[in-house]
Structures are given as structure tokens and as C-alpha cells.
Amino acid sequence: SPQDKNALHLYSVNGKYLGSETLKEEVSDLCVTGEYIVMGSLQGFLSIRDLYSLSLSISPLAMRLPIHCISVTKEYSHILVGLEDGKLIIVGVGKPAEV
């Protein structure tokens, strides 16, 4: 089934396998920000995961439309989410330690 195909795999810089996490959604964009992975999916969910454990840092936020792109501001204060209908959603996150 399509659900089995979506996973995050974590490797060290020298290629050592560190772990993986199966995903329910199809990832459309992601960016690594500090110690977090910020991901958007075609199913319309914005997820923030811990870079080392790959576990969810907060419950995924439902955007209700496919997410086409993700960007995080330099100060890590906001996540910019581009949706299929052309809307730009701005999500305030505070400092990464408070996410």
C-alpha cells in the first residue's frame, strides 16, 4: 500500500544508519532547522519532528490543503507554508526550545 512507502531515514554524516520513522503522509517539502525537521505533506499536514529521534515534537497541524513548500525564517520565529491554492500561511512558533 502507498502508506508503506513513506518513511524518514536518519544517517550520520559518515553514512551510519541511525534510525527511521514510517510516515502516514506523502512528504511534499521539508527543511532542517536547528534540531528540528519541519515537514509538509500532500495530505495537508505540517509536522515538526526532532532531528535525532525523528519523533513528533508537536501534533501535526492540519492545513486542509496540500502543502507545496515550507520555509523557516532565519530567527526560527515563523514557518511559511505555501498551499496548493496559492495561499501563504504563516505559523508563529516562538523559539525552537519552546516549540
Side-chain angles (χ1 to χ4, degrees):
S1 72
Q3 281 95 339
D4 301 333
K5 295 187 184 120
N6 302 310
L8 270 180
H9 299 285
L10 184 64
Y11 292 87
S12 69
V13 288
N14 55 10
K16 181 175 182 244
Y17 175 75
L18 299 175
S20 65
E21 185 72 29
T22 304
L23 305 174
K24 293 182 185 74
E25 300 108 37
E26 296 172 78
V27 176
S28 50
D29 196 18
L30 65 79
C31 57
V32 175
T33 303
E35 298 181 358
Y36 297 94
I37 304 168
V38 182
M39 293 190 316
S41 72
L42 293 179
Q43 285 70 26
F45 289 97
L46 174 67
S47 305
I48 300 174
R49 291 180 176 270
D50 180 87
L51 180 58
Y52 305 106
S53 70
L54 300 180
S55 60
L56 284 167
S57 298
I58 59 165
S59 294
L61 301 172
M63 298 285 148
R64 294 187 178 82
L65 281 171
I67 294 172
H68 279 214
C69 60
I70 295 274
S71 184
V72 179
T73 58
K74 274 194 293 231
E75 309 78 33
Y76 304 151
S77 59
H78 296 83
I79 301 169
L80 309 176
V81 184
L83 301 181
E84 185 175 60
D85 65 355
K87 285 197 175 87
L88 176 68
I89 306 294
I90 300 172
V91 181
V93 290
K95 297 187 190 75
E98 299 164 3
V99 169

